[in-house]
Amino acid sequence: MNDLALLLTPEGRALLDEVRDTAPAQELAVATRLRRDHPAELVSAALGQARLRQRAAAKFAAEDAGRMFFTPNGVEQSTRASVAAYRAARLRDSGVTSVADLCCGIGGDAIELARAGIRVLAVDRDPLTAAVARANAEALGLAGLIEVREADVTEVATAGYDAVFVDPARRGGRGRIFDPEAYSPPLSWAVAAALGAPRAALKIAPGIPHEAVPAEAEAEWISDGGDVKEAVLWFGTGAPGAVRATLLPGPRTLLGRGLPDPGVRPVGRYLYEPDGAVIRAHLVAEVAEEVGGGLVDPTIAYVTADVLRATPYASAYEITDHLPFNVKKLKALLREREVGTLTVKKRGSAVEPEELRRKVKPQGPNAATVFLTRVAGAPAMLIGSPVEPSATAGGAP
């Protein structure tokens, strides 16, 4: 708290501007120089905050990260801005004008909600976290729409708000928490709070078992740039039991249609690797139907087909070789084709990509992708190369 108070003074803000681009290797020299004119505590706080801002630029726009305030946990646990903006837009488009943001953290979600024109009550029980959230609302000119309250979320009345958003803490002293009832607050409390509001969104870990999703909720898995970021349980959308996968940027949303598992078929000319959100949402069957394909193995989420068809929900690869798993054969093939850039992907294989690279020692001007997987139950290698997205626009070549 004292560090934040120091940084919010005119001297602290000026010092933050001065050290904003300090590289880690320069910190000692910069600190030594600045301590001649500024208190050591303030210099240390400013350099620490500069490091956090540099880390936060991966989640927030660089301009925002350069003005915001962070804690180490806040950088680690805050929602990526693109995901928070998507969720805020969805709430706004449903008619929501006010949200109680429970477990607001440093205010990342509250910021995007406010930017969507939504009035926000942002609540966190940790005094420093609440103070940082308040400082961020002011730094970004959103204090008029964001009220920050330091309180236990279980004791906050939310009856006057159109919607409730809950982001329970999913990390403890020993790291990531996998049991939803060990969240803080527990998932059961968050669901009860959601059911008591006209609309609600609960942010949860993407690895949540489907059987743990309440029957009243719509479940959505979200990826950004191909990386799965979170799952959201939506309440009050009029679509209980619905499942969707949303890919950012876009957004592009694939709705579940309750299709049966795809059949297994021989490896064709093309292999499709579904986006992680599609896999987490159990919507591989929908992708297989889109591309007219089947699975290479009943337990593996790779789809194969003879024809190239456009889909935003999977990456396509043209397969040139299908071989039983054998390191010596792979090494010989790569040497023959002068492959020096080797991308290794695996699903259903215990072999580590780096271990395989060390063994095959790729050399040469060409590139290839090898999939280590199972085909009809047997360990296999599928070798090929990615198809450029534009090449799929016209369907079959």
Side-chain angles (χ1 to χ4, degrees):
M1 289 291 288
N2 188 50
D3 282 357
L4 179 63
L6 289 172
L7 294 174
L8 291 175
T9 64
E11 183 182 9
R13 291 179 185 276
L15 201 56
L16 278 172
D17 288 339
E18 186 172 347
V19 302
R20 74 161 51 211
D21 297 320
T22 303
Q26 300 172 322
E27 282 190 8
L28 181 58
V30 170
T32 301
R33 174 176 57 81
L34 291 175
R35 283 172 183 155
R36 298 170 190 156
D37 302 309
H38 304 280
E41 186 180 13
L42 175 58
V43 172
S44 178
L47 286 169
Q49 190 60 222
R51 282 196 303 272
L52 293 174
R53 286 177 168 182
Q54 289 167 9
R55 285 174 52 196
K59 284 188 173 182
F60 298 85
E63 183 178 352
D64 285 350
R67 291 187 289 164
M68 293 171 66
F69 296 87
F70 299 95
T71 64
N73 284 341
V75 173
E76 181 71 25
Q77 299 178 24
S78 58
T79 303
R80 183 178 290 263
S82 55
V83 178
Y86 162 73
R87 197 188 312 106
R90 191 171 171 193
L91 285 166
R92 177 199 61 209
D93 293 346
S94 71
V96 168
T97 61
S98 61
V99 170
D101 177 2
L102 308 181
C103 310
C104 70
I106 62 167
D109 286 285
I111 288 166
E112 296 304 331
L113 288 165
R115 283 175 167 167
I118 296 172
R119 179 172 57 88
V120 185
L121 169 65
V123 184
D124 202 284
R125 69 180 179 182
D126 179 68
L128 174 58
T129 303
V132 170
R134 189 175 295 111
N136 285 336
E138 293 172 355
L140 299 179
L142 298 169
L145 282 171
I146 301 174
E147 174 195 348
V148 179
R149 188 180 302 175
E150 179 192 328
D152 186 325
V153 297
T154 64
E155 299 174 358
V156 173
T158 61
Y161 294 83
D162 296 339
V164 167
F165 172 66
V166 189
D167 181 5
R170 296 182 298 283
R171 287 183 180 271
R174 297 184 178 181
R176 194 179 301 275
I177 296 171
F178 295 97
D179 177 8
E181 283 308 296
Y183 292 173
S184 180
L187 181 61
S188 57
W189 179 89
V191 170
L195 292 173
R199 291 184 182 273
L202 310 185
K203 176 182 171 181
I204 55 174
I208 186 172
H210 279 233
E211 55 269 23
V213 174
E216 303 92 340
E218 170 195 325
E220 179 177 32
W221 279 261
I222 302 173
S223 69
D224 187 12
D227 295 327
V228 183
K229 295 302 178 184
E230 66 180 56
V232 186
L233 302 182
W234 295 92
F235 296 80
T237 64
V243 176
R244 62 169 66 199
T246 295
L247 282 54
L248 303 175
R252 297 182 177 91
T253 296
L254 180 64
L255 294 173
R257 302 194 297 280
L259 299 179
D261 291 340
V264 177
R265 54 146 293 170
V267 175
R269 181 177 174 184
Y270 297 99
L271 187 77
Y272 294 86
E273 181 183 28
D275 183 271
V278 171
I279 295 172
R280 293 280 194 174
H282 295 180
L283 299 181
V284 175
E286 278 72 8
V287 169
E289 184 179 76
E290 271 199 12
V291 302
L295 299 179
V296 299
D297 184 275
T299 63
I300 303 294
Y302 284 141
V303 176
T304 185
D306 295 317
V307 175
L308 185 61
R309 292 183 181 172
T311 176
Y313 304 111
S315 300
Y317 295 80
E318 185 170 11
I319 300 302
T320 56
D321 301 88
H322 169 200
L323 303 169
F325 179 77
N326 185 299
V327 175
K328 288 184 178 180
K329 287 184 178 180
L330 178 62
K331 184 175 182 178
L333 186 147
L334 296 177
R335 186 188 304 117
E336 176 188 334
R337 296 183 184 172
E338 298 183 301
V339 171
T341 303
L342 181 66
T343 301
V344 182
K345 292 176 172 286
K346 65 171 220 168
R347 190 162 291 156
S349 171
V351 178
E352 291 300 325
E354 285 307 316
E355 176 189 353
L356 183 69
R357 283 195 192 91
R358 284 195 299 269
K359 289 181 177 179
V360 300
K361 300 176 182 176
Q363 293 181 355
N366 299 321
T369 300
V370 59
F371 293 86
L372 306 179
T373 188
R374 291 193 304 273
V375 173
M381 306 181 299
L382 304 178
I383 302 162
S385 57
V387 178
E388 292 298 325
S390 59
T392 67

